């Protein structure tokens, strides 16, 4: 009965109502924790204080107030737990809403790159040369006069130096290599025969640029040194290389030429792929396309690296990599290859 309630019971009911009313408005984990400390906390909780004060009450009243306080405690704890779960559920729902992904939206396409046509050719060359037993070497693009010219039988003032117009860094001493041939000497200096080596990379010539000439282009150089190698081995290597790069059925031919570091020397040609040897505009009606230079390594070059030319002989060949790409894909202007125009490059996926 209400009028038989003690002060303690009335206070308890008021506290319970206040606690319940407050709880209903709380909606964060922090405010719930604050509420719990204020009412149910071990140290300063209001309800805890009531329970702690029970000892001071007379016997019968202690029992009544004690039971009522415990009932309020259980009720508040249950309400707190229910509220906690409601708050957590709301926070989870809000997080899901924040991170909502519309899976029906179209995706963002990532542009895909591909290997540059010149790199594609270089990979094919490397695979071919390795299959033929040649090992890949690398050499500097900034080269000395000695390796680029002098060690290759081109002393200063030799007229053949004019065959390759040079970008000088320190005139007469340091230059941008005009050919990959200096690596013939570098490789031979680094090992004893037998040698089967190749080098690929950029070369530089101070030339007028046109549809078939760049000032910066790429060469591949092959070198083989052994006992008893002959011109027939050179011819066989070139034929095998051309067949691997362009497919079977193309003829190759050697044509006498001059390079200071090979003797005898030969340009080598392949059947024109456009007219299959019949003669057309591309091959200037000769039926043949010029691919590169070659020859038997000059005995003076061998002596220069300490190889005995009466024991060892070898052959070397070098050709333009752009030339191979142009033949393979029927490209009529060398400048397209390094022009970085995506409309051109996208054709080589
Ligand atoms: C040489 O560079 C010799 N080192 C080749 C050689 C190697 C001979 C080993 C003997 C033994 P040449 O200057 O001809 O030779 O150049 C060889 C190839 O490079 C040419 O056939 C051509 O395919 C390419 N080439 C030359 N000049 C240019 C240029 N300006 N732009 C693009 N390609 C070029």
């Amino acid at each position: 009965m209400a009028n038989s309630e003690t002060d303690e019971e009335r206070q308890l009911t008021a506290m319970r109502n206040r606690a319940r009313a407050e709880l209903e408005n709380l909606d964060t984990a922090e405010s719930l924790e604050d509420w719990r400390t204020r009412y149910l906390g071990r140290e300063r909780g209001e309800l805890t204080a009531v329970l702690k004060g029970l000892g001071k009450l007379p016997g019968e009243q202690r029992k009544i107030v004690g039971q009522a306080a415990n009932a309020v405690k259980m009720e508040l704890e249950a309400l707190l737990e229910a509220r906690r779960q409601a708050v957590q559920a709301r926070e989870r729902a809000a997080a899901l809403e924040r991170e909502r992904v519309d899976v029906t939206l179209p995706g963002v396409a990532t542009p895909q790159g591909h290997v540059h046509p010149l790199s594609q050719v270089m990979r094919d060359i490397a695979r071919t040369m390795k299959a033929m037993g040649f090992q890949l070497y690398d050499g500097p693009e900034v080269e000395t006069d000695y390796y680029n010219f002098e060690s290759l039988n081109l002393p200063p003032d030799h007229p053949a130096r004019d065959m390759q117009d040079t970008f000088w860094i320190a005139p007469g001493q340091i230059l941008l290599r005009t050919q990959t041939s200096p690596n013939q000497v570098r490789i031979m200096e680094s090992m004893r025969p037998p040698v089967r080596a190749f080098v690929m990379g950029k070369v530089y010539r101070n030339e007028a640029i046109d549809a078939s000439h760049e000032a910066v282009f790429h060469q591949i150089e092959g070198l083989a040194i052994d006992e008893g190698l002959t011109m027939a081995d050179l011819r066989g290597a070139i034929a095998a290389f051309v067949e691997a790069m362009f497919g079977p059925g193309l003829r190759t031919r050697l044509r006498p030429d001059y390079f200071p570091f090979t003797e005898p020397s030969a340009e080598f040609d392949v059947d024109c792929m456009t007219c299959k040897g019949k003669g057309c505009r591309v091959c200037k009606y000769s039926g043949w396309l010029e691919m590169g230079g070659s020859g038997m390594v000059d005995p003076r070059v061998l002596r220069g690296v300490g190889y005995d030319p009466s024991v060892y002989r070898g052959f070397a060949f070098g050709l333009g990599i752009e030339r191979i790409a142009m033949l393979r894909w029927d490209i009529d202007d060398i400048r397209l290859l390094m022009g970085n125009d995506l409309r051109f490059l996208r054709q080589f996926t």
Side-chain angles (χ1 to χ4, degrees):
M1 275 185 293
N3 54 3
S4 68
E5 274 185 350
T6 62
D7 280 353
E8 282 78 13
E9 283 173 284
R10 266 193 297 280
Q11 276 173 16
L12 203 53
T13 310
M15 183 210 303
R16 166 184 171 273
N17 291 342
R18 184 159 37 87
R20 284 184 63 143
E22 267 181 36
L23 190 62
E24 267 170 32
N25 294 321
L26 303 183
D27 53 9
T28 63
E30 297 77 39
S31 59
L32 288 179
E33 181 54 20
D34 173 62
W35 180 93
R36 191 195 63 76
T37 321
R38 281 189 288 111
Y39 289 103
L40 302 169
R42 269 169 195 270
E43 297 288 325
R44 293 191 303 275
E46 277 189 49
L47 189 63
T48 317
V50 173
L51 289 165
K52 278 184 186 160
L54 285 176
K56 292 189 204 116
L57 296 176
E60 186 59 14
Q61 203 185 344
R62 184 191 311 157
K63 194 175 157 200
I64 294 168
V65 175
Q67 277 174 355
N70 269 321
V72 170
K73 184 170 182 247
M74 277 162 67
E75 183 190 353
L76 291 187
E77 279 172 354
L79 286 172
L80 174 64
E81 186 51 32
R83 191 79 199 146
R84 256 193 196 136
Q85 287 188 7
V87 166
Q88 275 173 8
R90 229 191 10 242
E91 280 175 356
R92 266 199 302 273
L96 280 178
E97 190 55 38
R98 271 197 307 278
E99 293 161 20
R100 177 190 286 277
V101 175
D102 183 350
V103 292
T104 65
L105 283 176
V108 182
T110 313
Q112 236 194 335
H114 63 84
V115 180
H116 190 281
L118 278 180
S119 303
Q120 292 184 31
V121 172
M122 286 199 257
R123 287 182 183 185
D124 287 350
I125 292 173
R127 203 178 316 120
T128 300
M129 293 299 284
K130 284 177 187 168
M132 287 165 61
F134 289 72
Q135 198 180 341
L136 179 62
Y137 283 80
D138 202 8
E141 290 177 22
V142 176
E143 189 51 284
T144 60
D145 180 275
Y146 176 76
Y147 284 110
N148 196 80
F149 288 131
E150 207 166 334
S151 67
L152 293 170
N153 228 1
L154 279 143
D157 303 325
H158 192 291
R161 285 191 174 212
D162 293 343
M163 288 163 76
Q164 301 173 0
D165 291 325
T166 307
F167 285 114
W168 288 99
I169 289 175
Q173 292 170 39
I174 311 283
L175 46 77
L176 293 176
R177 68 180 179 194
T178 59
Q179 50 186 348
T180 39
S181 299
N183 295 294
Q184 291 184 25
V185 176
R186 287 183 174 278
I187 290 165
M188 288 191 284
E189 279 179 351
S190 74
M191 61 162 78
R192 304 300 308 159
V195 177
R196 296 256 185 309
F198 72 106
V199 173
M200 292 189 290
K202 284 201 181 78
V203 299
Y204 303 80
R205 291 190 194 176
N206 194 356
E207 287 193 2
I209 292 169
D210 61 29
S212 51
H213 294 86
E214 273 277 20
V216 182
F217 59 100
H218 297 75
Q219 285 189 337
I220 156 22
E221 184 99 5
L223 173 71
I225 310 283
D226 211 337
E227 290 180 37
L229 286 182
T230 70
M231 202 82 179
D233 297 300
L234 167 64
R235 196 165 154 58
I238 287 174
F241 178 80
V242 167
E243 177 168 335
M245 293 302 296
F246 297 104
L250 285 181
R251 291 174 305 161
T252 51
R253 75 169 181 186
L254 299 185
R255 225 168 0 94
D257 197 1
Y258 169 72
F259 294 102
F261 38 94
T262 45
E263 181 58 36
S265 302
E267 287 270 19
F268 62 94
D269 303 336
V270 294
D271 269 330
C272 174
M273 275 149 255
T274 309
C275 62
K276 304 281 178 299
K278 288 194 202 71
C280 68
R281 196 182 53 85
V282 175
C283 58
K284 301 197 183 84
Y285 301 96
S286 70
W288 295 95
L289 288 170
E290 183 190 312
M291 292 288 295
S294 67
M296 302 304 290
V297 179
D298 194 291
R300 290 181 63 158
V301 177
L302 292 178
R303 264 196 299 277
V305 296
Y307 287 9
D308 182 351
S310 66
V311 179
Y312 296 110
R313 287 154 61 92
F315 64 80
F317 60 93
L319 63 157
I321 294 176
E322 281 78 359
R323 174 58 63 89
I324 300 176
M326 291 170 79
L327 294 177
R328 177 181 285 186
W329 288 298
D330 218 358
I331 299 165
D332 61 6
D333 193 324
I334 191 173
R335 290 166 291 197
L336 289 167
L337 282 164
M338 296 291 269
N340 264 350
D341 185 334
L342 284 179
R343 290 168 305 178
F344 170 76
L345 293 175
R346 284 204 182 104
Q347 301 173 62
F348 302 92
T349 48

